[in-house]
Amino acid sequence: MTSETQWQKNLYENYSLPDNYTDSSFLEQLRKNIKPNNVTLSEAITFGASICIQLSIVILFVIIFIWLNKEWTSPNVIFVSGVILTIFGYLVYCVTEQTTVKKMSKDFRTALIFLTFGYILSPVLKTLTETISTDTIYAMTILMFLTHLIFSKYGSLQISLSDSLSITSSIFGSLMLASRLASPSHAFSLLTVAVQCFVLLPFLMYKLSKKILISIFLTLDTLYFLLFISQTISYVFILSIVFLHFICPYWYVRCQTYKDNIYGPWDEAVITS
């Protein structure tokens, strides 16, 4: 290095210096954590509530399948109950979105078309996987619902790993379970509940802000129906809810203290006006 040559942070200058040369002023522009995005414990618990809500919905759907499979309830009861809850949820959605009459009539026609074609095609849908063994059906269903939980939307509508994969995997898992029911009416009622749980209900959940209260309500309902099936599974469910709802958010907040993002002259250049 000669006295006539002075190093500068320019791309197309100083050819007499090595490309990787830096002087003592290089690290003077080092900055750490200049864009903090710290999440509070209450916000983290709210995010955990979103995961618990989705987990409770999946388990409630499986409970409905078990009740239909064991003939503890009739498909007519499930269908009518689902329609009543769907109408109530849609009214809440209309209030939050201020839906027009034209939009409501369009949604009504869409629901009517789905119910008509679903009822007509339910005998065919029930027989699609009859040749596959029951153990394989249950294993594939577990895999599909795990995929649904992994790729579901838990925050903003714009943030999702794969929304189509989440919906498709849940509907496919529901279809495989429906093939193990006694009649096409059983399969039709279960598939109707699947659409309500995995397609319609998420849109309503995004509009409601009281995620913690909704999570508590669904957890208590799920626990109540699980007690009719297995106490052991109920204990596992409670431990999972506590872990996801409280322990994981607490760990996440504590781990934020170890976050150390560095910024400096090596970052990509940003053109400002």
Side-chain angles (χ1 to χ4, degrees):
M1 181 176 177
T2 62
S3 59
E4 292 79 9
T5 304
Q6 180 66 35
W7 178 82
Q8 297 179 6
K9 193 177 64 175
N10 294 330
L11 184 60
Y12 297 109
E13 293 185 9
N14 309 319
Y15 293 102
S16 60
L17 298 175
D19 292 339
N20 60 349
Y21 174 82
T22 59
D23 65 355
S24 59
S25 64
F26 184 74
L27 293 179
E28 291 179 356
Q29 301 181 26
L30 174 65
R31 300 292 183 270
K32 294 184 178 181
N33 300 329
I34 61 175
K35 300 177 182 179
N37 188 21
N38 296 328
V39 178
T40 63
L41 183 59
S42 60
E43 292 175 343
I45 291 177
T46 302
F47 295 153
S50 300
I51 301 176
C52 294
I53 289 172
Q54 203 67 28
L55 178 63
S56 298
I57 291 173
V58 172
I59 295 178
L60 280 173
F61 177 81
V62 175
I63 291 173
I64 292 174
F65 163 76
I66 294 174
W67 280 50
L68 286 172
N69 193 36
K70 293 182 177 294
E71 299 291 343
W72 291 352
T73 185
S74 65
N76 294 331
V77 173
I78 296 297
F79 178 76
V80 173
S81 301
V83 169
I84 294 174
L85 292 175
T86 302
I87 293 175
F88 174 76
Y90 184 71
L91 293 177
V92 175
Y93 177 81
C94 291
V95 171
T96 56
E97 285 291 301
Q98 298 180 354
T99 308
T100 61
V101 177
K102 182 179 180 180
K103 179 68 165 56
M104 294 176 64
S105 61
K106 181 180 179 181
D107 293 339
F108 177 76
R109 290 195 301 269
T110 303
L112 186 61
I113 293 173
F114 163 75
L115 292 175
T116 302
F117 280 92
Y119 185 77
I120 295 174
L121 297 177
S122 57
V124 179
L125 297 176
K126 182 185 180 303
T127 59
L128 284 177
T129 57
E130 280 189 346
T131 58
I132 304 176
S133 64
T134 302
D135 293 340
T136 304
I137 289 292
Y138 290 159
M140 289 296 297
T141 301
I142 293 173
L143 178 61
M144 290 297 102
F145 283 147
L146 286 176
T147 304
H148 166 72
L149 291 174
I150 293 172
F151 292 94
S152 292
K153 294 177 179 177
Y154 296 109
S156 173
L157 286 173
Q158 287 76 29
I159 302 176
S160 177
L161 296 177
S162 179
D163 186 31
S164 59
L165 178 58
S166 174
I167 296 176
T168 303
S169 60
S170 60
I171 298 300
F172 183 60
S174 305
L175 180 61
M176 289 189 292
L177 289 180
S179 66
R180 290 300 177 263
L181 296 177
S183 66
S185 61
H186 287 72
F188 172 69
S189 62
L190 186 67
L191 292 177
T192 303
V193 173
V195 174
Q196 293 164 349
C197 290
F198 304 124
V199 180
L200 301 179
L201 188 58
F203 287 98
L204 179 61
M205 291 293 116
Y206 298 138
K207 304 300 177 182
L208 301 179
S209 58
K210 305 296 183 180
K211 293 292 192 301
I212 296 179
L213 294 178
I214 297 173
S215 177
I216 293 174
F217 175 76
L218 288 177
T219 299
L220 294 177
D221 286 347
T222 305
L223 181 62
Y224 173 77
F225 289 109
L226 273 179
L227 290 173
F228 290 97
I229 300 175
S230 173
Q231 290 187 353
T232 303
I233 298 178
S234 302
Y235 297 149
V236 174
F237 172 71
I238 287 295
L239 292 177
S240 301
I241 291 296
V242 172
F243 179 75
L244 294 173
H245 212 315
F246 300 103
I247 297 179
C248 285
Y250 175 75
W251 282 350
Y252 179 80
V253 173
R254 287 293 303 272
C255 288
Q256 287 185 121
T257 58
Y258 301 102
K259 183 171 62 176
D260 192 15
N261 295 333
I262 59 174
Y263 303 87
W266 52 82
D267 292 332
E268 182 178 357
V270 177
I271 301 176
T272 58
S273 59

